[in-house]
Amino acid sequence: VPGVSKAAEAGRTILEAARRSRAWDRLADLCDRVGPRLAGSRGYAAAVEWAIAEMTADGLSNVRREPVRVVPWERGAESLIVVEPNGPRPIPVTALGRSVATPAEGITARMVVVPDFAALEKLGEGARGKIVVFNFTMRLAADGGGGYGEAVRYRAGGAIAAAKHGAVAALVRSVTTQRGRSVHTGSMSYEDGVPKIPAAAITIEDSEMLARLQEKSVPVTLFLRLGGRMLPEVLEANVIGELRGRESPDEIVVVGGHLDSWDLACGAHDDGAGVVLSLEAVRLIKQIGLVPRRTIRVVLYANEECGLDGGTAYAESQRATIERHVAALESDSGGFRPTGFGFQGAPAAADRLEALLAAFDGLGPLTLRRGWSGPDIGPLAKLGVPGVGLRNDGTRYFDFHHSPMDTPDKVDRRELDDAVAAYAWMAWLLAEMPEPLARAVPAP
Ligand SMILES: [Zn+2]
């Protein structure tokens, strides 16, 4: 494969430089000084200022913000109480993003627990007037996405399914395998023509407790009060900066992650890691003098978590000159030991990338998985831009994901540096390869 020896040499230089990366310190700085940064919040505005200052300090060119329309969701006061048996017993609860509020006086209703959607169907009228609890058990998978994909359907669509059966609210077992009696939030949605009922996540432990009570035929009454609401549309921003290419500066490789996070913690893994990997990759490439042929454009996206607005707006803004985008790279799977990349695009491009991956040594084998890249670059991939996503050992990602536990102490400095190396090398490779990757046929 042409270019392998040059790629291998660059890989060694980048790996060496990544041993002195500032990624972890920058992550802690974002987490500690800015904190939670849900779109529409003061935290997100502070994150934009932080990112502009960091890119400027790194000496990037054309540092700017680009407007993104966002309809933000704001959390309100929330409480969940077991009224009977033996109540009142408060249990932890967190509203899901976009959930409507309950009436101000709350909802008091009998509960019914189902393990999955099929059980809800069988219940028929049995859910009418009740609070439905989805006690779906997430499967632990080293490739984080595996078990998540199955379980997240209940968070995303549980309220719709429950409302179709006449339920008055939906509670979802947190999408995690970690028994830390913690709640994990995330976005949900409604469907036109189906009543909008409030939806929230509860802990694994309480979800199982409620299921055990039902098994024993103990009547359970719950009290739920949620105060979340959608806010009027605001203009948020993607933050952008560039390392200009030495030969073909008009050809662009987009590298990024999402700048927003959930509000329960500071989003260290999700996606503070992707933010600092993107910043550090470019800073190290610049510092060691490996300025590539094409421009590397760092894009930190707004509101991935509750609307995917930043990624959508960026692709839309580039539609007229989309051929100038030769590839897009994203990290949104946490800051763990890297295992390879995902690829979304033409099979010929995947073959070529797979052959080049063999050139990188020092971190164990990096493998390519076809069919997936990342959420924010998905809209670019649909326009035919080859999409590449960093993959890592995601065994523990969903322990922390969208929970109050997603703080920088959960990110290992050495693992994050290894991720910087793999990610920076891929950014360099995409921006340096003599012929760009083959493009996919745009989706209609
Ligand atoms: Zn994320």
Side-chain angles (χ1 to χ4, degrees), residues 343-361:
F343 184 78
Q344 194 175 359
D351 293 344
R352 191 164 157 219
L353 214 50
E354 195 161 44
L356 283 165
L357 279 190
F360 193 90
D361 54 16

Side-chain angles (χ1 to χ4, degrees), residues 258 260 269-271 304-305 330-333 375-376 397 401-402:
H258 63 85
D260 65 307
H269 277 294
D270 186 14
D271 187 23
E304 187 272 341
E305 294 292 5
E330 176 168 2
S331 171
D332 188 15
S333 308
D376 295 294
Y397 183 45
H401 183 256
H402 296 187

Side-chain angles (χ1 to χ4, degrees), residues 210-231:
L210 296 172
R212 286 194 300 271
L213 286 172
Q214 176 169 290
E215 250 169 59
K216 291 172 195 154
S217 305
V218 176
V220 176
T221 302
L222 299 175
F223 167 83
L224 175 67
R225 184 155 57 198
L226 301 178
R229 60 183 180 145
M230 301 303 297
L231 299 174

Side-chain angles (χ1 to χ4, degrees), residues 12 35 39 67 144 200 244 268 297 317 325 327 337-338 344 379 383 391 417:
R12 283 189 290 274
R244 301 286 288 168
R297 177 181 290 169
S317 74
H325 284 68
R337 181 180 63 80
Q344 194 175 359
L383 296 175
R391 282 171 43 233
D417 285 348

Side-chain angles (χ1 to χ4, degrees), residues 2 16 52 94 168 173 289 329 345 361 379:
E16 168 74 21
I52 294 270
T94 189
V168 292
R173 174 180 169 134
L329 175 63
D361 54 16

Side-chain angles (χ1 to χ4, degrees), residues 51-72:
I52 294 270
E54 294 291 310
M55 286 184 182
T56 306
D58 287 348
L60 298 194
S61 312
N62 302 323
V63 175
R64 62 194 186 272
R65 56 196 92 195
E66 285 186 357
V68 179
R69 288 177 191 284
V70 170
V71 179

Side-chain angles (χ1 to χ4, degrees), residues 135-152 173-184 202-205 207-208 336 393-403 405:
N135 181 37
F136 181 84
T137 305
M138 179 176 169
R139 185 169 54 83
L140 180 64
D143 172 27
Y148 183 68
E150 297 163 0
V152 78
R173 174 180 169 134
S174 286
V175 183
T176 183
T177 58
Q178 170 67 17
R179 291 170 183 275
R181 207 178 176 213
S182 183
V183 287
H184 297 244
I202 58 175
T203 69
I204 293 183
E205 291 84 344
S207 189
E208 291 184 349
F336 299 96
D393 177 357
T395 314
R396 300 200 63 205
Y397 183 45
F398 295 99
D399 291 5
F400 315 122
H401 183 256
H402 296 187
S403 85
M405 291 184 282

